[in-house]
Amino acid sequence: MTRISDEALLERSQHGEYAASAELIVRYTPVVLYYAERYCYLGLEKEDLMQEGMIALLSAIRTYRGDRGAAFRTYASRCISNGLAKVAASQLRARNIPLALTAPLDEAGNVSAPSQDEPEEIVIRQEQSRDRSHRMKAELSEYELACLQLLLDGCSYAQIAGRLGRTVKSVDRALGRARQKLRRALAEPV
């Protein structure tokens, strides 16, 4: 049995053939998994990242144009990577909202009265956040930290390279080193 090319599947998919879309999704699920796992070290849920990555893949299938010169694999990988970077940045920004501005919900989803130990929890979370921040600064070089911050702000590798006056390959290596260092640092007990 011969394998149908991605481009042939894309054409069928863009003309409404659901089986072609399903085949592309099956083929590119490992790519989504690869990029989703790259953000798990930040404490984000793998399942949530997979869903967001699949949404980015579906968008890539819908919007791909072969006349622009890029192979679909390249285009899909970039869409998935950028989509997950934006989600990660958004999630991490949301985590920085002061807890004093949030209201606890009861099991029914209604705003509940704050518990008496809430101030303690706030202090503990703030201390944990400060500790993680100090560990990151201690583990990462200035360049790695700058690359990571720009990535979390939603910049692509090319944008980071442009802002820092480096090559995309240099940015990729710096972020790879940062990931390894953070995995080790966050896995170690305080």
Side-chain angles (χ1 to χ4, degrees), residues 49-113:
L49 292 168
M50 285 295 295
Q51 285 178 356
E52 294 295 337
M54 294 306 266
I55 290 169
L57 173 60
L58 290 171
S59 175
I61 291 170
R62 259 192 341 272
T63 60
Y64 176 75
R65 290 185 45 200
D67 61 348
R68 300 241 170 127
F72 178 70
R73 177 169 284 285
T74 303
Y75 181 74
S77 294
R78 180 59 56 203
C79 287
I80 294 164
S81 175
N82 289 345
L84 290 175
K86 287 178 185 173
V87 167
S90 168
Q91 290 292 320
L92 293 173
R93 273 194 296 274
R95 288 182 183 180
N96 291 331
I97 297 172
L99 291 176
L101 300 178
T102 63
L105 301 178
D106 62 16
E107 292 174 4
N110 301 317
V111 175
S112 64

Side-chain angles (χ1 to χ4, degrees), residues 78-158:
R78 180 59 56 203
C79 287
I80 294 164
S81 175
N82 289 345
L84 290 175
K86 287 178 185 173
V87 167
S90 168
Q91 290 292 320
L92 293 173
R93 273 194 296 274
R95 288 182 183 180
N96 291 331
I97 297 172
L99 291 176
L101 300 178
T102 63
L105 301 178
D106 62 16
E107 292 174 4
N110 301 317
V111 175
S112 64
S115 63
Q116 292 183 357
D117 62 349
E118 187 173 321
E120 293 171 6
E121 291 175 17
I122 292 171
V123 170
I124 290 170
R125 285 188 189 117
Q126 287 173 342
E127 287 176 1
Q128 289 171 338
S129 177
R130 269 194 305 275
D131 181 54
R132 278 192 300 271
S133 177
H134 289 300
R135 289 175 98 176
M136 281 177 58
K137 288 177 183 173
E139 291 292 325
L140 302 179
S141 69
E142 285 183 36
Y143 178 55
E144 292 164 346
L145 194 57
C147 288
L148 182 60
Q149 185 60 51
L150 288 170
L151 180 69
L152 295 176
D153 288 342
C155 294
S156 68
Y157 281 31

